[in-house]
Amino acid sequence: MKAIQISEPSVMKVIDMPEPQMGDDEVLLKMRYVGFCGSDLNTFRGGNPMVKMPVVPGHEVGADVVKVGKNVPEGLKPGMTVTVNPYTNCGKCASCRNGRVNACQHNETLGVQRWGAMCEYIALPWEKVIPAGLLTPRTCALIEPMSVGFHAVSRAQVTDIDVVLVIGCGMVGMGAVVRSAQRGATVVAADIDDEKLALAKEMGASYTINTIKEDVHARLLEMTSGFGPDVVIEAVGSIPTYQMAVDEVAFTGRVICIGYAKSEVSFQTKYFVQKELDIRGSRNAQPSDFRAVIHYLERGTCPVDRLISNVVKPEAAEEAMKQWEADPGKVFRILVDFQ
């Protein structure tokens, strides 16, 4: 079968692989669309320390069920459109013991610690296959990244009396914007790109801030009667945005960290104490977050077409990745079409 492989930094090619063998507890899936995410871009750049090359990337999936093993429950049947929970969980570590399997100490994500879904077929344990109702496979490829944003909002315990600042309006950040708005919060979206900010407003943000063109601190004080936002969700992973989150959050506020900073970050740690902050990590997503995203997308109000920047065939994937690398701020999602 056809697959996409990153063999070394800046080198991506189409290879031929054997079709997977399906076990009794597994489901064989035909990939329709698979999305490239930020971790795939970092792998392509050679900056992802969790990846051992060569690797088949990809974990944002829209697929059809081809065949099911004999031990698979009746709810999964050939012909169904599905997405995939791409994370593993060991069942034995502290995270798993506490029911937070999304943060499993020994997690292996498709396309990162293990070979991923950028191929024509994949066999997975039935527990990791999520029926997507009437959604199209193309839309299904957006579910996983949005679910990460939804999960961050759950970690923040957002309510309708909160002002929530979301820093970074990529796919994950957009998920946080949508979920915060659904919970009735006042949402402020911050980014460096005006097009993304305009879309964030359509998707539920009450206010937007261009962090290059505007005085972020002054704008936030103006919007919050001088208090600052109750919740800050960091969805970029850079030194300035991490520092912004701690500096700008209100006293007794919550800072939720999604983005991985690529180097050490220095903080005014006095704010941790003076503000009595809750600083929480947010990793991956829970099954309930996937279901919530599917429920949202089924409403038909999400501007799906505007979230998909490009759709390419496998042979054009390398060129698409190079274009993304050259101008990362302008891309939401690139989908690879395996139909």
Side-chain angles (χ1 to χ4, degrees):
M1 68 175 180
K2 188 180 295 184
I4 293 173
Q5 182 187 78
I6 301 175
S7 56
E8 58 184 283
S10 301
V11 178
M12 180 183 290
K13 57 187 177 181
V14 177
I15 64 170
D16 186 59
M17 289 176 56
E19 290 190 13
Q21 299 297 309
M22 183 191 72
D24 291 341
D25 297 303
E26 292 185 322
V27 178
L28 181 65
L29 302 179
K30 163 62 179 172
M31 296 297 106
R32 298 300 184 187
Y33 293 94
V34 184
F36 279 124
C37 78
S39 63
D40 298 321
L41 178 60
N42 287 335
T43 300
F44 185 72
R45 288 169 163 170
N48 192 337
M50 294 182 288
V51 170
K52 183 178 180 180
M53 296 188 190
V55 67
V56 173
H59 55 254
E60 301 175 357
V61 170
D64 293 335
V65 175
V66 175
K67 189 164 57 173
V68 300
K70 66 180 183 180
N71 296 334
V72 174
E74 293 184 1
L76 288 169
K77 298 179 180 179
M80 293 180 69
T81 297
V82 298
T83 192
V84 165
N85 181 331
Y87 327 120
T88 64
N89 53 283
C90 70
K92 300 176 182 179
C93 70
S95 301
C96 291
R97 182 181 62 184
N98 292 329
R100 289 160 65 175
V101 296
N102 57 292
C104 174
Q105 181 179 350
H106 306 291
N107 166 66
E108 294 184 351
T109 299
L110 284 172
V112 185
Q113 293 93 345
R114 56 188 172 133
W115 281 31
M118 284 279 177
C119 51
E120 292 185 272
Y121 296 93
I122 191 169
L124 292 171
W126 67 264
E127 298 94 336
K128 299 299 181 182
V129 179
I130 303 172
L134 298 177
L135 296 181
T136 66
R138 185 169 172 266
T139 300
C140 285
L142 304 180
I143 293 171
E144 191 274 340
M146 292 195 77
S147 73
V148 176
F150 272 47
H151 181 66
V153 174
S154 295
R155 291 284 292 142
Q157 298 175 299
V158 170
T159 73
D160 59 347
I161 63 172
D162 288 321
V163 176
V164 179
L165 170 65
V166 178
I167 306 175
C169 294
M171 279 295 302
V172 171
M174 285 297 188
V177 167
V178 168
R179 194 58 164 164
S180 297
Q182 285 183 336
R183 292 190 175 201
T186 300
V187 183
V188 182
D191 200 278
I192 61 174
D193 185 84
D194 287 331
E195 291 181 23
K196 288 184 176 179
L197 290 172
L199 187 54
K201 202 156 191 179
E202 288 184 32
M203 296 180 71
S206 298
Y207 304 98
T208 61
I209 301 174
N210 186 310
T211 58
I212 291 178
K213 301 176 181 178
E214 301 177 75
D215 184 328
V216 175
H217 182 69
R219 287 290 314 281
L220 287 172
L221 292 181
E222 175 189 337
M223 295 170 187
T224 62
S225 301
F227 292 108
D230 304 285
V231 175
V232 179
I233 297 176
E234 199 288 332
V236 177
S238 71
I239 293 173
T241 53
Y242 260 87
Q243 292 171 335
M244 182 190 300
V246 172
D247 291 348
E248 300 300 341
V249 71
F251 274 63
T252 67
R254 287 98 76 196
V255 176
I256 311 301
C257 308
I258 309 175
Y260 280 92
K262 310 305 183 292
S263 56
E264 292 185 2
V265 184
S266 297
F267 291 105
Q268 291 289 340
T269 54
K270 66 179 182 179
Y271 289 149
F272 297 3
V273 178
Q274 287 180 345
K275 293 185 177 184
E276 199 175 57
L277 298 181
D278 289 334
I279 301 176
R280 305 174 186 175
S282 182
R283 184 182 180 192
N284 300 332
Q286 290 270 23
S288 59
D289 301 308
F290 282 83
R291 294 196 300 271
V293 172
I294 291 170
H295 182 64
Y296 161 65
L297 292 172
E298 284 178 331
R299 297 176 185 174
T301 58
C302 179
V304 169
D305 289 342
R306 294 176 63 190
L307 294 174
I308 298 171
S309 305
N310 197 6
V311 179
V312 298
K313 289 293 186 181
E315 292 76 11
E318 182 180 39
E319 182 58 33
M321 187 64 86
K322 288 179 177 178
Q323 291 175 3
W324 187 14
E325 182 181 27
D327 193 6
K330 290 295 184 182
V331 172
F332 280 109
R333 272 302 175 271
I334 297 170
L335 303 187
V336 179
D337 179 358
F338 281 95
Q339 298 188 100

